[in-house]
PDB file of all heavy atoms in Angstrom:
ATOM      1  N   GLN A 101      54.441  41.399  59.516  1.00 97.00           N
ATOM      2  CA  GLN A 101      54.394  41.490  58.057  1.00 97.00           C
ATOM      3  C   GLN A 101      55.065  40.276  57.407  1.00 97.00           C
ATOM      4  O   GLN A 101      54.567  39.742  56.409  1.00 97.00           O
ATOM      5  CB  GLN A 101      55.086  42.774  57.593  1.00 97.00           C
ATOM      6  CG  GLN A 101      54.292  44.038  57.866  1.00 97.00           C
ATOM      7  CD  GLN A 101      53.139  44.204  56.877  1.00 97.00           C
ATOM      8  OE1 GLN A 101      53.312  44.649  55.754  1.00 97.00           O
ATOM      9  NE2 GLN A 101      51.951  43.814  57.306  1.00 97.00           N
ATOM     10  N   VAL A 102      56.152  39.823  57.976  1.00 98.00           N
ATOM     11  CA  VAL A 102      56.830  38.637  57.442  1.00 98.00           C
ATOM     12  C   VAL A 102      55.969  37.393  57.639  1.00 98.00           C
ATOM     13  O   VAL A 102      55.850  36.540  56.755  1.00 98.00           O
ATOM     14  CB  VAL A 102      58.211  38.465  58.097  1.00 98.00           C
ATOM     15  CG1 VAL A 102      58.838  37.129  57.711  1.00 98.00           C
ATOM     16  CG2 VAL A 102      59.135  39.608  57.680  1.00 98.00           C
ATOM     17  N   GLU A 103      55.339  37.281  58.805  1.00 97.00           N
ATOM     18  CA  GLU A 103      54.515  36.106  59.089  1.00 97.00           C
ATOM     19  C   GLU A 103      53.328  36.003  58.135  1.00 97.00           C
ATOM     20  O   GLU A 103      53.028  34.926  57.602  1.00 97.00           O
ATOM     21  CB  GLU A 103      54.023  36.154  60.535  1.00 97.00           C
ATOM     22  CG  GLU A 103      55.109  35.844  61.556  1.00 97.00           C
ATOM     23  CD  GLU A 103      54.623  36.019  62.984  1.00 97.00           C
ATOM     24  OE1 GLU A 103      53.431  36.358  63.168  1.00 97.00           O
ATOM     25  OE2 GLU A 103      55.424  35.818  63.911  1.00 97.00           O
ATOM     26  N   VAL A 104      52.651  37.117  57.896  1.00 97.00           N
ATOM     27  CA  VAL A 104      51.462  37.090  57.038  1.00 97.00           C
ATOM     28  C   VAL A 104      51.842  36.915  55.579  1.00 97.00           C
ATOM     29  O   VAL A 104      51.241  36.104  54.859  1.00 97.00           O
ATOM     30  CB  VAL A 104      50.631  38.384  57.218  1.00 97.00           C
ATOM     31  CG1 VAL A 104      49.470  38.405  56.232  1.00 97.00           C
ATOM     32  CG2 VAL A 104      50.115  38.497  58.639  1.00 97.00           C
ATOM     33  N   ASN A 105      52.826  37.668  55.120  1.00 97.00           N
ATOM     34  CA  ASN A 105      53.136  37.709  53.690  1.00 97.00           C
ATOM     35  C   ASN A 105      54.106  36.631  53.217  1.00 97.00           C
ATOM     36  O   ASN A 105      54.164  36.353  52.018  1.00 97.00           O
ATOM     37  CB  ASN A 105      53.715  39.082  53.332  1.00 97.00           C
ATOM     38  CG  ASN A 105      52.696  40.190  53.438  1.00 97.00           C
ATOM     39  OD1 ASN A 105      51.754  40.255  52.660  1.00 97.00           O
ATOM     40  ND2 ASN A 105      52.858  41.072  54.419  1.00 97.00           N
ATOM     41  N   LEU A 106      54.867  36.033  54.135  1.00 98.00           N
ATOM     42  CA  LEU A 106      55.892  35.074  53.727  1.00 98.00           C
ATOM     43  C   LEU A 106      55.790  33.745  54.471  1.00 98.00           C
ATOM     44  O   LEU A 106      55.631  32.696  53.853  1.00 98.00           O
ATOM     45  CB  LEU A 106      57.279  35.691  53.942  1.00 98.00           C
ATOM     46  CG  LEU A 106      58.492  34.783  53.714  1.00 98.00           C
ATOM     47  CD1 LEU A 106      58.487  34.198  52.306  1.00 98.00           C
ATOM     48  CD2 LEU A 106      59.784  35.551  53.993  1.00 98.00           C
ATOM     49  N   THR A 107      55.869  33.791  55.793  1.00 98.00           N
ATOM     50  CA  THR A 107      55.904  32.542  56.550  1.00 98.00           C
ATOM     51  C   THR A 107      54.634  31.731  56.357  1.00 98.00           C
ATOM     52  O   THR A 107      54.682  30.497  56.258  1.00 98.00           O
ATOM     53  CB  THR A 107      56.127  32.826  58.049  1.00 98.00           C
ATOM     54  OG1 THR A 107      57.251  33.686  58.210  1.00 98.00           O
ATOM     55  CG2 THR A 107      56.357  31.533  58.809  1.00 98.00           C
ATOM     56  N   GLY A 108      53.502  32.405  56.286  1.00 98.00           N
ATOM     57  CA  GLY A 108      52.238  31.692  56.070  1.00 98.00           C
ATOM     58  C   GLY A 108      52.233  30.911  54.769  1.00 98.00           C
ATOM     59  O   GLY A 108      51.800  29.758  54.713  1.00 98.00           O
ATOM     60  N   ALA A 109      52.727  31.543  53.700  1.00 98.00           N
ATOM     61  CA  ALA A 109      52.795  30.859  52.408  1.00 98.00           C
ATOM     62  C   ALA A 109      53.730  29.656  52.474  1.00 98.00           C
ATOM     63  O   ALA A 109      53.460  28.601  51.878  1.00 98.00           O
ATOM     64  CB  ALA A 109      53.255  31.826  51.321  1.00 98.00           C
ATOM     65  N   PHE A 110      54.843  29.805  53.195  1.00 98.00           N
ATOM     66  CA  PHE A 110      55.766  28.685  53.391  1.00 98.00           C
ATOM     67  C   PHE A 110      55.063  27.525  54.088  1.00 98.00           C
ATOM     68  O   PHE A 110      55.151  26.366  53.656  1.00 98.00           O
ATOM     69  CB  PHE A 110      56.978  29.153  54.204  1.00 98.00           C
ATOM     70  CG  PHE A 110      57.726  28.030  54.879  1.00 98.00           C
ATOM     71  CD1 PHE A 110      58.522  27.167  54.144  1.00 98.00           C
ATOM     72  CD2 PHE A 110      57.614  27.842  56.252  1.00 98.00           C
ATOM     73  CE1 PHE A 110      59.202  26.126  54.773  1.00 98.00           C
ATOM     74  CE2 PHE A 110      58.284  26.805  56.881  1.00 98.00           C
ATOM     75  CZ  PHE A 110      59.081  25.947  56.138  1.00 98.00           C
ATOM     76  N   MET A 111      54.333  27.820  55.176  1.00 98.00           N
ATOM     77  CA  MET A 111      53.716  26.745  55.954  1.00 98.00           C
ATOM     78  C   MET A 111      52.579  26.068  55.197  1.00 98.00           C
ATOM     79  O   MET A 111      52.432  24.839  55.257  1.00 98.00           O
ATOM     80  CB  MET A 111      53.236  27.288  57.301  1.00 98.00           C
ATOM     81  CG  MET A 111      54.371  27.686  58.237  1.00 98.00           C
ATOM     82  SD  MET A 111      53.859  27.909  59.972  1.00 98.00           S
ATOM     83  CE  MET A 111      52.787  29.354  59.829  1.00 98.00           C
ATOM     84  N   VAL A 112      51.780  26.846  54.484  1.00 98.00           N
ATOM     85  CA  VAL A 112      50.689  26.254  53.711  1.00 98.00           C
ATOM     86  C   VAL A 112      51.243  25.372  52.590  1.00 98.00           C
ATOM     87  O   VAL A 112      50.780  24.242  52.369  1.00 98.00           O
ATOM     88  CB  VAL A 112      49.773  27.355  53.128  1.00 98.00           C
ATOM     89  CG1 VAL A 112      48.780  26.753  52.133  1.00 98.00           C
ATOM     90  CG2 VAL A 112      49.023  28.077  54.242  1.00 98.00           C
ATOM     91  N   THR A 113      52.241  25.882  51.888  1.00 98.00           N
ATOM     92  CA  THR A 113      52.848  25.105  50.801  1.00 98.00           C
ATOM     93  C   THR A 113      53.482  23.831  51.345  1.00 98.00           C
ATOM     94  O   THR A 113      53.310  22.741  50.770  1.00 98.00           O
ATOM     95  CB  THR A 113      53.902  25.940  50.058  1.00 98.00           C
ATOM     96  OG1 THR A 113      53.277  27.125  49.542  1.00 98.00           O
ATOM     97  CG2 THR A 113      54.510  25.166  48.900  1.00 98.00           C
ATOM     98  N   ARG A 114      54.198  23.948  52.430  1.00 98.00           N
ATOM     99  CA  ARG A 114      54.860  22.782  53.024  1.00 98.00           C
ATOM    100  C   ARG A 114      53.842  21.728  53.458  1.00 98.00           C
ATOM    101  O   ARG A 114      54.111  20.517  53.392  1.00 98.00           O
ATOM    102  CB  ARG A 114      55.699  23.224  54.220  1.00 98.00           C
ATOM    103  CG  ARG A 114      56.606  22.141  54.786  1.00 98.00           C
ATOM    104  CD  ARG A 114      57.511  22.716  55.871  1.00 98.00           C
ATOM    105  NE  ARG A 114      58.468  21.727  56.349  1.00 98.00           N
ATOM    106  CZ  ARG A 114      58.205  20.836  57.312  1.00 98.00           C
ATOM    107  NH1 ARG A 114      57.008  20.838  57.894  1.00 98.00           N
ATOM    108  NH2 ARG A 114      59.128  19.968  57.689  1.00 98.00           N
ATOM    109  N   ALA A 115      52.670  22.161  53.897  1.00 98.00           N
ATOM    110  CA  ALA A 115      51.643  21.221  54.356  1.00 98.00           C
ATOM    111  C   ALA A 115      50.980  20.468  53.207  1.00 98.00           C
ATOM    112  O   ALA A 115      50.635  19.293  53.343  1.00 98.00           O
ATOM    113  CB  ALA A 115      50.589  21.972  55.178  1.00 98.00           C
ATOM    114  N   LEU A 116      50.794  21.139  52.065  1.00 98.00           N
ATOM    115  CA  LEU A 116      50.021  20.543  50.969  1.00 98.00           C
ATOM    116  C   LEU A 116      50.878  20.022  49.818  1.00 98.00           C
ATOM    117  O   LEU A 116      50.412  19.209  49.015  1.00 98.00           O
ATOM    118  CB  LEU A 116      49.012  21.564  50.439  1.00 98.00           C
ATOM    119  CG  LEU A 116      47.918  21.965  51.436  1.00 98.00           C
ATOM    120  CD1 LEU A 116      47.065  23.092  50.860  1.00 98.00           C
ATOM    121  CD2 LEU A 116      47.049  20.771  51.800  1.00 98.00           C
ATOM    122  N   LEU A 117      52.110  20.492  49.732  1.00 98.00           N
ATOM    123  CA  LEU A 117      52.968  20.098  48.612  1.00 98.00           C
ATOM    124  C   LEU A 117      53.212  18.589  48.517  1.00 98.00           C
ATOM    125  O   LEU A 117      53.180  18.036  47.412  1.00 98.00           O
ATOM    126  CB  LEU A 117      54.302  20.845  48.689  1.00 98.00           C
ATOM    127  CG  LEU A 117      55.260  20.676  47.503  1.00 98.00           C
ATOM    128  CD1 LEU A 117      54.635  21.194  46.217  1.00 98.00           C
ATOM    129  CD2 LEU A 117      56.583  21.391  47.786  1.00 98.00           C
ATOM    130  N   PRO A 118      53.446  17.879  49.628  1.00 98.00           N
ATOM    131  CA  PRO A 118      53.686  16.436  49.499  1.00 98.00           C
ATOM    132  C   PRO A 118      52.572  15.690  48.781  1.00 98.00           C
ATOM    133  O   PRO A 118      52.844  14.791  47.964  1.00 98.00           O
ATOM    134  CB  PRO A 118      53.824  15.975  50.957  1.00 98.00           C
ATOM    135  CG  PRO A 118      54.334  17.182  51.676  1.00 98.00           C
ATOM    136  CD  PRO A 118      53.630  18.336  51.022  1.00 98.00           C
ATOM    137  N   SER A 119      51.327  16.047  49.051  1.00 98.00           N
ATOM    138  CA  SER A 119      50.214  15.359  48.383  1.00 98.00           C
ATOM    139  C   SER A 119      50.196  15.657  46.890  1.00 98.00           C
ATOM    140  O   SER A 119      49.839  14.785  46.075  1.00 98.00           O
ATOM    141  CB  SER A 119      48.877  15.777  49.015  1.00 98.00           C
ATOM    142  OG  SER A 119      48.589  17.150  48.758  1.00 98.00           O
ATOM    143  N   MET A 120      50.588  16.860  46.496  1.00 98.00           N
ATOM    144  CA  MET A 120      50.638  17.215  45.084  1.00 98.00           C
ATOM    145  C   MET A 120      51.786  16.485  44.383  1.00 98.00           C
ATOM    146  O   MET A 120      51.651  16.020  43.252  1.00 98.00           O
ATOM    147  CB  MET A 120      50.780  18.732  44.929  1.00 98.00           C
ATOM    148  CG  MET A 120      49.645  19.520  45.558  1.00 98.00           C
ATOM    149  SD  MET A 120      49.870  21.323  45.522  1.00 98.00           S
ATOM    150  CE  MET A 120      49.471  21.671  43.803  1.00 98.00           C
ATOM    151  N   LEU A 121      52.912  16.354  45.090  1.00 98.00           N
ATOM    152  CA  LEU A 121      54.051  15.646  44.515  1.00 98.00           C
ATOM    153  C   LEU A 121      53.728  14.163  44.313  1.00 98.00           C
ATOM    154  O   LEU A 121      54.196  13.537  43.363  1.00 98.00           O
ATOM    155  CB  LEU A 121      55.281  15.811  45.404  1.00 98.00           C
ATOM    156  CG  LEU A 121      55.861  17.229  45.489  1.00 98.00           C
ATOM    157  CD1 LEU A 121      57.000  17.278  46.506  1.00 98.00           C
ATOM    158  CD2 LEU A 121      56.344  17.697  44.122  1.00 98.00           C
ATOM    159  N   GLU A 122      52.923  13.608  45.206  1.00 97.00           N
ATOM    160  CA  GLU A 122      52.536  12.208  45.073  1.00 97.00           C
ATOM    161  C   GLU A 122      51.717  11.967  43.809  1.00 97.00           C
ATOM    162  O   GLU A 122      51.821  10.911  43.175  1.00 97.00           O
ATOM    163  CB  GLU A 122      51.740  11.759  46.301  1.00 97.00           C
ATOM    164  CG  GLU A 122      52.591  11.529  47.534  1.00 97.00           C
ATOM    165  CD  GLU A 122      51.769  11.073  48.718  1.00 97.00           C
ATOM    166  OE1 GLU A 122      50.565  10.756  48.521  1.00 97.00           O
ATOM    167  OE2 GLU A 122      52.312  11.018  49.836  1.00 97.00           O
ATOM    168  N   THR A 123      50.906  12.958  43.438  1.00 97.00           N
ATOM    169  CA  THR A 123      50.091  12.797  42.233  1.00 97.00           C
ATOM    170  C   THR A 123      50.884  13.123  40.966  1.00 97.00           C
ATOM    171  O   THR A 123      50.471  12.777  39.863  1.00 97.00           O
ATOM    172  CB  THR A 123      48.860  13.718  42.273  1.00 97.00           C
ATOM    173  OG1 THR A 123      49.278  15.087  42.224  1.00 97.00           O
ATOM    174  CG2 THR A 123      48.047  13.480  43.539  1.00 97.00           C
ATOM    175  N   GLY A 124      52.026  13.807  41.142  1.00 97.00           N
ATOM    176  CA  GLY A 124      52.845  14.177  39.988  1.00 97.00           C
ATOM    177  C   GLY A 124      52.213  15.235  39.111  1.00 97.00           C
ATOM    178  O   GLY A 124      52.485  15.309  37.906  1.00 97.00           O
ATOM    179  N   SER A 125      51.380  16.089  39.723  1.00 97.00           N
ATOM    180  CA  SER A 125      50.723  17.147  38.955  1.00 97.00           C
ATOM    181  C   SER A 125      50.292  18.249  39.914  1.00 97.00           C
ATOM    182  O   SER A 125      50.412  18.124  41.125  1.00 97.00           O
ATOM    183  CB  SER A 125      49.507  16.607  38.190  1.00 97.00           C
ATOM    184  OG  SER A 125      48.520  16.144  39.107  1.00 97.00           O
ATOM    185  N   GLY A 126      49.761  19.316  39.337  1.00 98.00           N
ATOM    186  CA  GLY A 126      49.273  20.412  40.159  1.00 98.00           C
ATOM    187  C   GLY A 126      49.988  21.711  39.838  1.00 98.00           C
ATOM    188  O   GLY A 126      51.006  21.735  39.135  1.00 98.00           O
ATOM    189  N   HIS A 127      49.435  22.801  40.339  1.00 98.00           N
ATOM    190  CA  HIS A 127      49.955  24.130  40.035  1.00 98.00           C
ATOM    191  C   HIS A 127      49.933  24.961  41.312  1.00 98.00           C
ATOM    192  O   HIS A 127      48.877  25.146  41.926  1.00 98.00           O
ATOM    193  CB  HIS A 127      49.082  24.791  38.959  1.00 98.00           C
ATOM    194  CG  HIS A 127      49.766  25.875  38.201  1.00 98.00           C
ATOM    195  ND1 HIS A 127      49.542  26.110  36.858  1.00 98.00           N
ATOM    196  CD2 HIS A 127      50.685  26.804  38.576  1.00 98.00           C
ATOM    197  CE1 HIS A 127      50.283  27.126  36.442  1.00 98.00           C
ATOM    198  NE2 HIS A 127      50.976  27.577  37.471  1.00 98.00           N
ATOM    199  N   VAL A 128      51.078  25.448  41.720  1.00 98.00           N
ATOM    200  CA  VAL A 128      51.180  26.304  42.904  1.00 98.00           C
ATOM    201  C   VAL A 128      51.381  27.748  42.449  1.00 98.00           C
ATOM    202  O   VAL A 128      52.280  28.032  41.649  1.00 98.00           O
ATOM    203  CB  VAL A 128      52.349  25.881  43.808  1.00 98.00           C
ATOM    204  CG1 VAL A 128      52.437  26.795  45.035  1.00 98.00           C
ATOM    205  CG2 VAL A 128      52.202  24.430  44.250  1.00 98.00           C
ATOM    206  N   PHE A 129      50.539  28.627  42.949  1.00 99.00           N
ATOM    207  CA  PHE A 129      50.648  30.050  42.655  1.00 99.00           C
ATOM    208  C   PHE A 129      51.056  30.802  43.921  1.00 99.00           C
ATOM    209  O   PHE A 129      50.574  30.516  45.013  1.00 99.00           O
ATOM    210  CB  PHE A 129      49.314  30.625  42.172  1.00 99.00           C
ATOM    211  CG  PHE A 129      48.943  30.230  40.777  1.00 99.00           C
ATOM    212  CD1 PHE A 129      48.215  29.069  40.551  1.00 99.00           C
ATOM    213  CD2 PHE A 129      49.316  31.007  39.687  1.00 99.00           C
ATOM    214  CE1 PHE A 129      47.863  28.687  39.257  1.00 99.00           C
ATOM    215  CE2 PHE A 129      48.974  30.636  38.393  1.00 99.00           C
ATOM    216  CZ  PHE A 129      48.238  29.467  38.179  1.00 99.00           C
ATOM    217  N   PHE A 130      51.938  31.777  43.746  1.00 98.00           N
ATOM    218  CA  PHE A 130      52.285  32.713  44.802  1.00 98.00           C
ATOM    219  C   PHE A 130      51.875  34.100  44.323  1.00 98.00           C
ATOM    220  O   PHE A 130      52.364  34.564  43.282  1.00 98.00           O
ATOM    221  CB  PHE A 130      53.783  32.682  45.103  1.00 98.00           C
ATOM    222  CG  PHE A 130      54.258  31.395  45.705  1.00 98.00           C
ATOM    223  CD1 PHE A 130      54.676  30.341  44.895  1.00 98.00           C
ATOM    224  CD2 PHE A 130      54.288  31.234  47.078  1.00 98.00           C
ATOM    225  CE1 PHE A 130      55.114  29.149  45.444  1.00 98.00           C
ATOM    226  CE2 PHE A 130      54.720  30.036  47.645  1.00 98.00           C
ATOM    227  CZ  PHE A 130      55.134  28.989  46.824  1.00 98.00           C
TER     228      PHE A 130
END
Side-chain angles (χ1 to χ4, degrees):
Q101 287 284 280
V102 171
E103 286 175 1
V104 175
N105 292 292
L106 174 57
T107 309
F110 159 74
M111 291 195 294
V112 170
T113 302
R114 189 174 185 275
L116 295 174
L117 187 62
S119 67
M120 301 175 77
L121 293 175
E122 285 181 10
T123 66
S125 64
H127 202 145
V128 180
F129 286 89
F130 293 89

